[in-house]
Amino acid sequence: MDQKRITLLAGHYGSGKTNIAVNLAFRLKETVDRVTIADIDIVNPYFRTKDSQKELEAAGIRLICSEYANSNLDIPALPDALYSIIDDRGQTAIVDIGGDDRGALALGRFAPGILEENDFEMLMVINRYRPLTRKPEDLLAIRREIEIAGSIPFTGIVNNSNLGVETTKEDVLRSLPFARAASELLGLPVKMTTVEERLYKALEGSIENLFPLRLQHKIN
Amino acid sequence: MADKVLMKGNEAIAEAAIAAGCRFYFGYPITPQTEIAAYMAKQMPKIGGTFLQAESEIAAINMVYGVSSAGKRVMTSSSSPGISLKGEGLSYIAGADLPALVVNVQRGGPGLGGIQPSQSDYFQATKGGGHGDYRMIVLAPASVQEMADLTIKGFELADQYRMTSMILADGTMGQMMEPVSLDYGEPKTFEKPWAVTGTKMQRPHNVVNSLYLVPEELERINFERYEKYKQVEENEVRFESYQMDDAEICIVAFGIAARVSKNAIASAREKGIKVGMIRPITLWPFPKKPLCEAADKVKAFVSVELSMGQMIEDVELATRCKKPVLLCNRAGGMIPTVEDVLASIEKANGEGGAF
């Protein structure tokens, strides 16, 4: 994938954005010196990039995240350091956006700067095994809502179709026609298909742009 | 193979409620159960149902009272502090013998507490919370699938016995994602000849009320209601017996604590300690009989809880204090680890009946 300076991950609630964001940051760090991962989730106080704080810092990846993430203070706070993503063009950034249009609202304030620079990828994470996005048509409404709230148009799709720990190779293969149909309907290319690490070997070669995911551990 | 979907526990409750024929949801947002309201807000308008974000938890529970009076399946959901606010309404619903489904996805307390998972509303759910003599059927799911299954069951039991079913989950159950099968078919329904649906001038008025002007009548109603509760205790106890055949130590745990305990049991058995678990699925009615029977076989019990020790009192009562009961607990939103539970198992095994 042609690497843009800013990669934005948005999509339906619970589609897997945060986990993909963290994995993309680690992958990016292999080839790029200054990598930043930014968490602008204002919807969900749990399952945050901060769960991987130690690993990210150890790898030399900068994490910008509300200091209240994973705490008992359940407020939609954004740290001021987020503006550096737009202003400091020497870094390559992955931005994890909260679910649905509510989550994308937080993107709106950064949209003018991102659009002006015009070096971004806005990826829609999809999972056909989530109950409210089982048909490609379901994604039309989600796309419209997120684009209105976030003021940035999508440029591609990440097919993250999975059933959690029960996901089989067949489940992933069965999701490919869904992803293709979604791609046609939305007029967006499928940039990658993500699978849990344990399934990667079995699927390697049979799916274009396959990307292995290491699951984040929930810290308590 | 049934077609599965990947759901959060909160979403599974909402989807199962719709499958059960619930078309009325009243609630007020609070972490960690807000996904139930969010899901209902999206889905109810599509199926001709009603989603209403009430001005408060108190308003929501009284809307439940109203819709239930009219004979329709209805629910509300909240988390610990919000359930406290609903206390008055829960008592009125019990006093009027109305069916309702109430969900509590518990968080740490007391007071505003925190947003991490907890089981410290056990007393509130099983012993009252509202005023007066009453009971609720309290269901404790330990997986996302059970969040869905027990929601369906909760509606059925509520209608059958004309009382509140409460889903007592914790923040983990609400937030975790697991594959779920939602293949339920037609919901089981019950006649409601008592509902206020209009007489059409063909029958006397039905009255839904909890006020009785004559004390003898109020006493009679209370005794009759407790006859009904006795039936629930006889017919509706649910529990899972796990590796109890040869067990010398019996863990008692529900919800997330039971899941952690299963891992601890595997570790303990690798070390040669014979340990099993009785997992209450109904917290009321409590599985007294299997626990009392186990007390004649095991040397000690371990109650694993995300509270300062609440269910442990019911374990001691059910086992008539025949054997020691240890407490393994975390509080304030923390979850006992496998190591915590294993240490308690080893302690119970080492000391046996000696403490």
Side-chain angles (χ1 to χ4, degrees), chain B residues 141-167:
Chain B
S143 68
V144 176
Q145 185 68 55
E146 273 192 359
M147 291 283 261
D149 295 350
L150 292 177
T151 296
I152 303 257
K153 195 73 206 166
F155 275 111
E156 291 173 358
L157 292 172
D159 279 355
Q160 185 179 348
Y161 293 102
R162 289 180 63 181
M163 61 191 290
T164 295
S165 291
M166 174 174 277
I167 305 286

Side-chain angles (χ1 to χ4, degrees), chain A residues 93-113:
Chain A
I94 308 284
V95 183
D96 180 27
I97 300 160
D100 291 332
D101 49 341
R102 295 287 156 198
L105 271 178
L107 179 62
R109 68 194 294 172
F110 306 105

Side-chain angles (χ1 to χ4, degrees), chain B residues 146-344:
Chain B
E146 273 192 359
M147 291 283 261
D149 295 350
L150 292 177
T151 296
I152 303 257
K153 195 73 206 166
F155 275 111
E156 291 173 358
L157 292 172
D159 279 355
Q160 185 179 348
Y161 293 102
R162 289 180 63 181
M163 61 191 290
T164 295
S165 291
M166 174 174 277
I167 305 286
L168 191 71
D170 61 73
T172 328
M173 287 298 130
Q175 293 296 323
M176 66 191 286
M177 288 176 95
E178 282 181 336
V180 187
S181 169
L182 292 165
D183 213 358
Y184 290 112
E186 277 299 296
K188 194 165 144 194
T189 54
F190 295 81
E191 292 295 320
K192 296 180 177 177
W194 47 265
V196 282
T197 52
T199 65
K200 300 186 178 67
M201 304 303 278
Q202 288 164 6
R203 61 163 172 80
H205 286 287
N206 284 340
V207 178
V208 172
N209 184 28
S210 67
L211 172 68
Y212 293 88
L213 300 180
V214 183
E216 286 81 357
E217 197 190 355
L218 180 55
E219 184 192 42
R220 178 180 59 78
I221 296 281
N222 267 290
F223 272 93
E224 282 176 10
R225 191 171 295 129
Y226 269 69
E227 283 304 311
K228 173 176 81 179
Y229 292 160
K230 210 179 279 175
Q231 281 179 33
V232 177
E233 287 194 271
E234 276 164 22
N235 302 328
E236 307 301 343
V237 171
R238 285 174 171 75
F239 65 96
E240 179 193 2
S241 183
Y242 182 74
Q243 302 197 4
M244 281 299 293
D245 286 348
D246 62 344
E248 292 172 359
I249 306 293
C250 176
I251 287 180
V252 190
F254 62 97
I256 183 67
R259 290 173 71 115
V260 176
S261 296
K262 280 192 178 176
N263 289 330
I265 288 169
S267 305
R269 281 191 172 264
E270 273 173 27
K271 294 184 168 194
I273 306 172
K274 289 176 179 164
V275 51
M277 175 167 65
I278 291 176
R279 171 172 77 92
I281 297 171
T282 49
L283 298 177
W284 194 88
F286 196 67
K288 292 179 194 167
K289 199 162 161 253
L291 283 166
C292 193
E293 286 167 2
D296 293 327
K297 296 176 192 158
V298 303
K299 56 182 180 185
F301 292 86
V302 180
S303 188
V304 185
E305 305 183 48
L306 277 68
S307 73
M308 291 310 296
Q310 300 192 7
M311 181 180 66
I312 190 170
E313 294 186 7
D314 281 336
V315 178
E316 285 170 339
L317 278 173
T319 58
R320 292 165 197 168
C321 295
K322 285 190 222 172
K323 297 288 162 62
V325 188
L326 278 77
L327 177 65
C328 173
N329 68 319
R330 298 291 299 271
M334 303 304 289
I335 302 173
T337 62
V338 173
E339 292 72 30
D340 292 336
V341 181
L342 187 58
S344 291

